[in-house]
């Protein structure tokens, strides 16, 4: 929707993505830390509109942990830190008994009392509706007209008997600017051994297919095309074959095969001298590298040359510059804030992406002070196995189609504040 210049005060927007699966495995420790860091981020940036996209709501053992989700949401809606947000929309996919639809996604939107002119799109009625009060929707989101939700077909990832991957799309109107917010969770790497067999990996191709499907769906002819932001757990990984060849360039390789199947069960890279010290040990769910500082020094950014999965969509998706460490897989020990688990090669899985038109919203005109940040939340504390991602562009005048700030979020999550 076209906008026109106005003297109205700028509007602060904060976008946050967080894979929260770990929080429901240890609510006493991890959840309290997560909420503290999240509230500190909100207080620091004081956004007028806050979007929180969660993945793996209820955790891995969702049948037992789903009860913790209700208390988590209740805390968000009633806490003193969020008391100035007098309107909210919370969409939780909690219906785990519906295997053909369950995605474990949660999309939460909070609106500050000072923000008067905001509307939410009804996809069935094809019109915007004014946002009033606080509402929570769960179970059968398929019948909720205020969003579009889809789970990826089973044949997209046949290795997984029951995947929870999919997306939720909502549409908003702030002043006279309409935009889509898409919560997304793509497929993971099921085996480190398979991932490093070729470049790019078979899993990269699966994610490419699923992401292309989402982009086609949100830009088809059913609705007017508007700027869109996709933020969630994309599960993007470094090119395993290339990064391992780089990390182990001077090492020798030994393969160990299973006695019953003769399939490769383990790959060990050793130094040629130095008592044949092990540099890297690779198994299906083990990635044990001798020096984790490689992924922390300079925020791991020298390894971004191996972060290639988004390049396929360079004409359709854009991202702010990455200057934070890989967001996954962090230790789930609440005493460890910066340690990675030896399960996967650390990677920037949690991202905030945008269309070209959305990027134009985020970009400030030349001559205006820039206050955009794109970062992890809770960089020094344990937020679960994912760090929360957040872009915060500061203040923005949506009527002029400008987003002005990107902020940081806690945990292996990501956030952008505009």
């Amino acid at each position: 929707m076209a906008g026109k210049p106005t003297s109205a005060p700028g509007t602060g927007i904060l976008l946050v993505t967080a894979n929260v699966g770990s929080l429901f495995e240890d609510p006493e420790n991890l959840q309290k830390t997560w909420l503290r860091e999240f509230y500190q981020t909100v207080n620091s940036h004081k956004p007028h509109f806050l979007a929180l996209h969660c993945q793996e709501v209820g955790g891995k053992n969702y049948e037992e942990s789903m009860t913790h989700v209700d208390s988590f949401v209740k805390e968000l809606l009633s806490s003193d830190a969020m008391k100035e947000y007098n309107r909210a929309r919370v969409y939780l996919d909690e219906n785990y008994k519906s295997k053909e639809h369950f995605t474990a996604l949660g999309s939460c939107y909070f609106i500050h009392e000072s923000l008067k002119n905001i509307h939410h799109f009804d996809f069935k009625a094809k019109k915007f509706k004014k946002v009033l009060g606080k509402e929570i929707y769960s179970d059968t989101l398929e019948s909720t007209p205020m969003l579009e939700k889809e789970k990826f077909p089973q044949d997209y990832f046949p290795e997984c008997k029951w995947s929870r991957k999919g997306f939720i799309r909502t549409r908003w109107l702030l002043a006279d600017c309409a935009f889509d917010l898409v919560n997304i969770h793509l497929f993971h790497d099921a085996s480190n051994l398979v991932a490093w067999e070729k470049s790019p990996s078979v899993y990269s191709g699966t994610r490419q297919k699923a992401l292309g499907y989402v982009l086609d769906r949100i830009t088809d002819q059913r609705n007017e095309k508007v700027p869109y932001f996709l933020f969630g757990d994309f599960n993007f990984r470094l090119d395993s074959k290339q990064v391992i060849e780089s990390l182990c360039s001077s090492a020798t390789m030994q393969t160990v095969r299973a006695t019953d199947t003769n399939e490769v069960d383990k790959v060990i890279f050793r130094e040629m001298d130095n008592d044949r010290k092990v540099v890297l040990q690779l198994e299906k769910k083990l990635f044990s590298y001798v020096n984790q500082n490689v992924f922390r020094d300079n925020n791991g950014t020298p390894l971004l040359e191996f972060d290639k999965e988004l390049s396929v969509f360079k004409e359709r998706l854009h991202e702010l510059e990455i200057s934070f460490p890989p967001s996954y897989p962090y230790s789930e020990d609440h005493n460890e804030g910066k340690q990675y688990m030896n399960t996967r090669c650390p990677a920037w899985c949690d991202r905030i992406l945008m269309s070209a038109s959305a990027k134009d919203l985020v970009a400030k005109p030349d001559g205006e002070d820039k206050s955009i940040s794109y970062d992890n939340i809770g960089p020094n504390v344990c937020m679960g196995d994912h760090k929360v991602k957040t872009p915060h562009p500061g203040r923005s005048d949506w009527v002029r189609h400008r987003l002005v700030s990107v902020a940081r979020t806690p945990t292996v999550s990501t956030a952008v504040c505009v």
Side-chain angles (χ1 to χ4, degrees):
M1 304 183 79
K4 46 191 176 183
T6 176
S7 58
T11 301
I13 312 291
L14 177 63
L15 308 179
V16 179
T17 180
N19 185 314
V20 293
S22 301
L23 306 191
F24 304 104
E25 313 294 329
D26 183 11
E28 186 61 30
N29 292 302
L30 291 183
Q31 195 172 118
K32 288 183 178 180
T33 300
W34 192 99
L35 286 168
R36 184 189 69 232
E37 295 291 325
F38 177 75
Y39 292 150
Q40 287 178 357
T41 300
V42 174
N43 182 62
S44 173
H45 298 289
K46 296 179 171 55
H48 297 94
F49 180 84
L50 164 60
L52 169 62
H53 284 178
C54 299
Q55 304 83 43
E56 292 196 28
V57 169
K60 297 176 179 66
N61 302 312
Y62 39 80
E63 293 186 34
E64 296 146 14
S65 305
M66 201 60 81
T67 54
H68 297 307
V69 175
D70 293 337
S71 59
F72 176 71
V73 172
K74 183 178 180 180
E75 162 65 24
L76 281 173
L77 292 173
S78 62
S79 68
D80 285 342
M82 303 292 287
K83 63 184 178 182
E84 294 182 358
Y85 294 84
N86 62 350
R87 288 153 293 166
R89 292 294 181 270
V90 177
Y91 302 107
L92 301 171
D93 189 359
E94 296 181 299
N95 189 14
Y96 57 83
K97 294 181 180 179
S98 177
K99 294 185 178 183
E100 67 274 19
H101 297 299
F102 182 52
T103 63
L105 293 173
S107 297
C108 310
Y109 307 97
F110 305 91
I111 298 137
H112 195 272
E113 59 190 10
S114 64
L115 185 58
K116 307 302 181 184
N117 194 13
I118 185 165
H119 295 75
H120 192 7
F121 192 66
D122 184 321
F123 285 96
K124 185 176 181 180
K126 301 291 184 182
K127 65 179 181 180
F128 284 97
K129 297 181 177 179
K130 192 175 179 77
V131 181
L132 300 171
K134 297 179 180 180
E135 298 177 0
I136 301 175
Y137 298 84
S138 59
D139 294 329
T140 55
L141 294 185
E142 289 75 27
S143 61
T144 304
M146 308 308 290
L147 59 80
E148 289 185 338
K149 179 181 85 92
E150 289 190 44
K151 179 178 177 176
F152 296 121
Q154 181 65 47
D155 61 4
Y156 272 38
F157 197 46
E159 285 190 42
C160 187
K161 291 182 180 179
W162 186 21
S163 169
R164 293 171 290 165
K165 306 303 191 289
F167 71 95
I168 291 178
R169 169 200 195 184
T170 59
R171 176 167 291 190
W172 301 84
L173 180 66
L174 182 51
D176 62 352
C177 181
F179 56 97
D180 282 349
L181 301 178
V182 182
N183 187 357
I184 187 170
H185 194 185
L186 298 182
F187 303 99
H188 63 286
D189 281 12
S191 169
N192 293 323
L193 294 171
V194 173
W196 95 287
E197 287 178 350
K198 63 178 184 178
S199 171
S201 78
V202 61
Y203 302 121
S204 174
T206 300
R207 287 188 286 271
Q208 178 183 335
K209 180 179 179 181
L211 181 52
Y213 174 82
V214 174
L215 292 176
D216 290 343
R217 289 291 286 164
I218 65 175
T219 58
D220 61 21
Q221 301 302 314
R222 293 171 300 145
N223 298 285
E224 178 186 358
K225 293 183 181 180
V226 300
Y228 54 84
F229 295 86
L230 282 79
F231 47 115
D233 181 0
F234 292 84
N235 262 316
F236 288 158
R237 307 302 170 97
L238 303 184
D239 187 302
S240 293
K241 185 172 180 61
Q242 293 187 7
V243 75
I244 289 174
E245 289 175 349
S246 174
L247 294 175
C248 304
S249 59
S250 60
T252 59
M253 184 182 76
Q254 170 193 358
T255 58
V256 179
R257 295 181 178 272
T259 54
D260 53 345
T261 64
N262 201 37
E263 293 182 354
V264 175
D265 191 49
K266 185 185 303 183
V267 180
I268 302 172
F269 295 86
R270 299 178 182 274
E271 292 186 14
M272 292 183 182
D273 46 24
N274 194 22
D275 295 326
R276 304 274 295 160
K277 181 180 179 181
V278 174
V279 177
L280 171 67
Q281 184 164 320
L282 195 70
E283 298 178 21
K284 179 178 181 180
K285 294 186 178 181
L286 178 70
F287 185 96
S288 182
Y289 185 63
V290 66
N291 181 20
Q292 279 202 3
N293 287 330
V294 168
F295 305 103
R296 291 189 287 260
D297 292 346
N298 297 313
N299 290 325
T301 52
L303 295 173
L304 280 171
E305 66 173 295
F306 304 110
D307 180 71
K308 301 180 176 182
E309 294 194 32
L310 190 56
S311 62
V312 178
F313 300 96
K314 61 183 179 181
E315 302 299 326
R316 305 178 73 181
L317 289 172
H318 303 270
E319 184 176 22
L320 301 176
E321 182 179 358
I322 291 177
S323 59
F324 46 84
S327 65
Y328 172 86
Y330 279 89
S331 169
E332 295 173 305
D333 183 338
H334 68 273
N335 295 311
E336 297 283 354
K338 293 186 174 182
Q339 186 74 16
Y340 289 105
M341 289 191 288
N342 290 327
T343 53
R344 309 289 184 186
C345 178
W348 288 269
C349 294
D350 309 271
R351 315 278 276 261
I352 297 176
L353 310 178
M354 60 201 79
S355 63
S357 55
K359 184 181 180 182
D360 289 341
L361 296 179
V362 173
K364 277 191 156 188
D366 292 339
E368 287 192 21
D369 180 42
K370 295 181 184 293
S371 59
I372 298 178
S373 64
Y374 180 31
D375 209 341
N376 286 337
I377 292 176
N380 300 312
V381 299
C382 180
M383 305 277 291
D385 59 345
H386 288 256
K387 287 287 184 190
V388 178
K389 211 55 81 231
T390 147
H392 181 274
R395 300 293 156 197
S396 88
D397 186 345
W398 277 92
V399 181
R400 292 169 54 206
H401 279 200
R402 292 291 171 192
L403 292 185
V404 185
S405 88
V406 178
R408 60 183 321 195
T409 303
T411 307
V412 182
S413 312
T414 305
V416 174
C417 183
V418 213

